[in-house]
Amino acid sequence: MNLIKFFITLLSIGNISKAADFLYISQPAISKSIKKLEQELDITLFYRTPKGVTLTENGKIFFEFIKNGVESFFNGEHKLTALNNLDTGVLRIGASTTITKYFLLPFIEQFHKTYPKIEISITNHLTNRLVSSLKKGSLDFLIINLPMKLDNTLNITPCATLHDCFAGNLEYKNQIKEPISLQNLVANYPIITQKEPSNTRTFLNSFMASHQVNFHPQFDVVSYSLVKDFAKIGMGISYITKEFTKSDLQNKKLFSIPIKEKIPTRQLRFSYF
């Protein structure tokens, strides 16, 4: 394809020396390449003059045959170069609404500032649905909560460690000043969690079961934001992730409730095929 590329470049510029400079090759190299193409075709493509080059009649016929294919090739080459340089394209991300809002948003903002021409598409859904979309090629990568069962062919890279806790407003903080057992917490206080089958709820159910706690929360809601909001207005004690609730904890709208059992950390992971 280089011979055709040299031919089109020379045709466009009309001067061997300038075409060589444009292609970052020597003048003899482009002359040799054009000569080789002419030998393969058994025709003369250009008239050489002191002022430059022009197409012969055979050269014009040859150009008419190849121009559509050449245009498609160079358009494709330009498109691939743009993609490699992140000048165009679509980045398709799968994540939960919570992860998108409380973890991904700053990274998306920075990426958009750096590569403003890249379109960003975000799909929010349950993890099993996101994994299915990733397998089908509808998404480029996922940011997901672990632990959970995943396909062994999925590539997984840790990107953040999450710390969960129980939290309530000032009223509940004043009621629970010493570490309390999970059993007593569940028996004596209303618990607010996300609905099943969210990863956070699945993890909490497993944690409760590992300590033989019969767990039936008084409030289970779809939105993580509502889990926090319910706790802030005193509806009960919520199960939250500290990294996703920094401002409320720092502003003392919510307070971590001490429990005797140690809650295992979780991982956010970058996942792709």
Side-chain angles (χ1 to χ4, degrees):
M1 194 65 194
N2 273 345
L3 295 180
I4 300 299
K5 186 175 182 177
F6 293 165
F7 168 75
I8 295 298
T9 303
L10 181 55
L11 172 61
S12 301
I13 294 176
N15 180 280
I16 292 177
S17 178
K18 291 179 180 179
D21 290 340
F22 180 83
L23 293 167
Y24 298 101
I25 61 174
S26 67
Q27 186 174 332
I30 194 169
S31 296
K32 184 177 180 181
S33 296
I34 296 300
K35 189 68 177 177
K36 181 179 179 182
L37 180 60
E38 289 178 326
Q39 289 174 347
E40 289 182 1
L41 297 172
D42 196 24
I43 60 173
T44 300
L45 294 170
F46 291 102
Y47 292 119
R48 280 78 167 174
T49 71
K51 294 183 179 181
V53 297
T54 58
L55 283 177
T56 64
E57 288 304 311
N58 283 337
K60 290 177 182 177
I61 294 171
F62 176 67
F63 176 67
E64 286 299 317
F65 274 107
I66 69 167
K67 66 179 181 180
N68 290 334
V70 167
E71 183 179 2
S72 296
F73 171 79
F74 284 113
N75 284 342
E77 185 179 47
H78 175 74
K79 182 71 172 178
L80 288 173
T81 300
L83 285 170
N84 287 335
N85 293 334
L86 295 179
D87 289 330
T88 187
V90 180
L91 184 63
R92 303 166 303 169
I93 306 169
S96 70
T97 303
T98 302
I99 291 173
T100 301
K101 181 177 181 179
Y102 296 106
F103 176 76
L104 270 179
L105 210 55
F107 296 102
I108 291 171
E109 180 184 15
Q110 184 58 50
F111 183 88
H112 179 65
K113 287 178 180 177
T114 307
Y115 306 104
K117 295 180 181 179
I118 297 292
E119 180 183 343
I120 299 173
S121 171
I122 300 176
T123 300
N124 299 133
H125 221 301
L126 295 174
T127 301
N128 59 346
R129 291 284 296 273
L130 294 175
V131 171
S132 177
S133 295
L134 185 66
K135 285 182 179 180
K136 293 175 183 177
S138 303
L139 297 172
D140 296 313
F141 67 87
L142 311 178
I143 302 294
I144 56 177
N145 256 327
L146 292 183
M148 68 164 292
K149 292 181 179 179
L150 291 174
D151 192 310
N152 290 333
T153 61
L154 194 64
N155 295 294
I156 299 175
T157 302
C159 55
T161 299
L162 303 181
H163 301 82
D164 294 340
C165 72
F166 290 93
N169 65 7
L170 184 59
E171 177 185 350
Y172 285 100
K173 175 183 181 293
N174 290 334
Q175 290 181 39
I176 309 173
K177 295 182 178 180
E178 299 295 328
I180 185 173
S181 70
L182 281 177
Q183 192 70 55
N184 287 335
L185 182 72
V186 169
N188 295 289
Y189 297 95
I191 305 298
I192 308 163
T193 71
Q194 284 185 271
K195 279 184 178 290
E196 295 176 321
S198 73
N199 278 357
T200 299
R201 177 61 181 278
T202 301
F203 179 77
L204 178 57
N205 287 348
S206 176
F207 177 57
M208 290 290 189
S210 69
H211 292 278
Q212 292 78 49
V213 176
N214 187 17
F215 180 55
H216 298 286
Q218 282 77 2
F219 301 100
D220 55 351
V221 295
V222 173
S223 165
Y224 180 77
S225 292
L226 284 178
V227 171
K228 297 192 302 175
D229 291 342
F230 274 33
K232 283 189 282 188
I233 64 173
M235 298 289 288
I237 294 174
S238 62
Y239 185 74
I240 62 166
T241 300
K242 291 180 180 179
E243 286 75 15
F244 299 162
T245 321
K246 283 181 180 178
S247 61
D248 288 327
L249 293 170
Q250 289 171 353
N251 296 332
K252 300 188 184 304
K253 293 181 179 179
L254 287 174
F255 300 86
S256 179
I257 302 298
I259 64 168
K260 293 181 178 179
E261 294 83 357
K262 180 178 174 59
I263 302 175
T265 59
R266 292 190 290 155
Q267 294 286 327
L268 270 188
R269 306 238 174 153
F270 173 81
S271 309
Y272 60 98
F273 279 108

